[in-house]
Amino acid sequence: MSKRDVNLLRTEAIARLRATMAHDDLSITDQMAEIRAMHCASPRDAKISRMIDGLKRSLATVDDNDKGNRILFVCGESNSGKTELVRHALASDPYFTEAGADANMLWLKAPSPSTLRNFAVRGLKTMGFSVRPDIRETHAWPELEEQLAQRSILFLVVDEAQRTMKINDAAELQKLSDSLVSLVDSSTWPIRLILIGVQPLEDLRTRDEQVFNRSNILTLGPVSEKSGQRVSDWITSIIDDHARLDSSELPKSQLSKQLIHACDGNAGSMITLTRNAVECMLRNRKGKQVLVTDFAQAYHDLTYCAEAENIFENETWADLPSGLARIQSPDDDGHETEIGKPMKSGNRPR
C-alpha cells in the first residue's frame, strides 16, 4: 500500500471519529491543537538564528577556511524544546520561507541503530526514493549522496541524533562520523548538517577532531529561578495571546517559581503544564479567567499527587519534591525494522 493510500485511509478514519464527538469537545480539542502549535519565544531564538546564518554563510562562500560552520549540534535534556526551537528558526528564516526554498532541506529522524547503512536508507526513504530490501551499505550511502545532489538538498536536519551514539562497534561509529564529515566537505555537493538530540550526542562532537573542528553547539539547559521573567512571559503568551483568555488574576511571579520547581526548570514541561491549565479552564468553566486552581488541576492530572502534595495548592510548596511534572520523552532504544538486514551471500532467494 502506498503512502498516499495510507494517508487517505487515515483521513477517512479520523473523519468518522470526529463525526462521533460532541461539538463542544471537538471545538476545545481543535483550539488546543492550535495553541500547542504556537511558539513560545525566548532568547534562544536569536542565538540559533545567528548559528543557522553561519551555516548559510559557509555554503555561500568558496572560502575553505570557514570550516567551523558546517555542522550545528543542538543538544539538551529531554523535552527542553530543541526540536521546536529548530523548526521555528527555520520557519522564520527568510531563506526557508521563500517559495520553494524549503525544498532544499531534508528533515529526518535518526534510525535506531544508526549504522551507516540504516542512516542512508532512512534518508533515501524520507526523500521518497524506492529502496531495495537487500541494499548493502556500499550502495546505500553513495545513493544517498547522489540523491541529495539530484534533489538539491542543501540542509539536512537529523532529529533524535543521539541514536548515532548507540553503535557499540567503535569502527562502525567512526565510519558514520567520517561519512557525515564527507557530506559537509564534499567538493561536488556540500551540505550543512543540524543534529538535534540529548546526551550522548555531544560525545559525537567531542570524540572526533574532524567533527569538532567543523561544528558549533547550542546546549539548552534548564531554566533557573533567575530567569523567572521568561517563564512569566510564557504564561502571558500562552494564556493571553495564544488562547485569547485572561491571565490578569494570576500571581505570575510566584507561579513562575512554582512551575520551575514543579518541572525542575525543564522548558518544554513548563510550557506543557501551562497549556494543560488552559485546557482545564476551557473544559471545566465558562469565562475567560485562567486561575491558579487550573494549574493545580493540571498538575494533579499529570502527577496524580494528593491535594496536600500539590505545589499549586500548598503554601509550603518549596518544601515539596521537585520535578514531578517534568516530562521525559522516551528515546527509542529498540532496533527499528528499517527494511530488513542485507542478505548474506548464498541466502538470496531464487
Side-chain angles (χ1 to χ4, degrees), residues 249-280:
E249 293 189 13
L250 291 172
K252 292 178 188 173
S253 178
Q254 176 174 303
L255 188 59
S256 299
K257 296 175 183 178
Q258 290 171 314
L259 280 168
I260 292 171
H261 187 75
C263 303
D264 270 347
N266 183 269
S269 299
M270 290 188 286
I271 290 170
T272 295
L273 188 55
T274 303
R275 289 168 175 164
N276 290 355
V278 167
E279 184 168 11
C280 286

Side-chain angles (χ1 to χ4, degrees), residues 3 5 23 32 39 42 91 138 166 171 193 211 222 232 239 267 276 284 301 305 307 314-315 323 326 335 340:
K3 186 175 181 179
D5 291 337
H23 178 269
M32 288 307 305
H39 179 66
S42 81
T138 51
K166 293 184 180 295
L193 281 172
V211 174
S232 180
I239 296 174
N276 290 355
N284 298 329
D301 293 344
C305 68
E307 185 174 343
N314 196 310
E315 291 184 0
R326 177 178 171 179
H335 292 256

Side-chain angles (χ1 to χ4, degrees), residues 107-160:
W107 186 298
L108 61 86
K109 182 172 287 189
S112 181
S114 265
T115 61
L116 187 63
R117 173 187 175 275
N118 284 356
F119 190 97
V121 169
R122 173 60 58 86
L124 290 168
K125 294 183 74 174
T126 302
M127 286 187 282
F129 185 80
S130 181
V131 182
R132 300 190 316 273
D134 62 344
I135 192 170
R136 296 180 181 275
E137 173 191 296
T138 51
H139 293 114
W141 190 265
E143 190 66 64
L144 174 66
E145 293 179 314
E146 182 176 339
Q147 289 301 316
L148 289 172
Q150 286 191 11
R151 296 163 193 258
S152 299
I153 301 297
L154 294 176
F155 295 87
L156 175 58
V157 185
V158 183
D159 207 353
E160 303 291 354

Side-chain angles (χ1 to χ4, degrees), residues 47-120:
K47 188 168 186 179
I48 194 169
S49 292
R50 290 194 299 270
M51 299 177 92
I52 291 174
D53 284 344
L55 295 179
K56 292 190 296 181
R57 285 195 301 271
S58 72
L59 267 180
T61 180
V62 294
D63 181 10
D64 195 49
N65 293 319
D66 186 18
K67 290 185 177 181
N69 284 309
R70 298 183 180 182
I71 305 173
L72 173 58
F73 286 80
V74 182
C75 302
E77 60 183 2
S78 179
N79 206 43
S80 59
K82 303 177 297 296
T83 300
E84 201 278 333
L85 180 70
V86 174
R87 285 193 186 278
H88 177 75
L90 295 175
S92 304
D93 189 289
Y95 169 73
F96 293 101
T97 54
E98 290 178 1
D102 59 344
N104 299 130
M105 177 180 65
L106 177 65
W107 186 298
L108 61 86
K109 182 172 287 189
S112 181
S114 265
T115 61
L116 187 63
R117 173 187 175 275
N118 284 356
F119 190 97

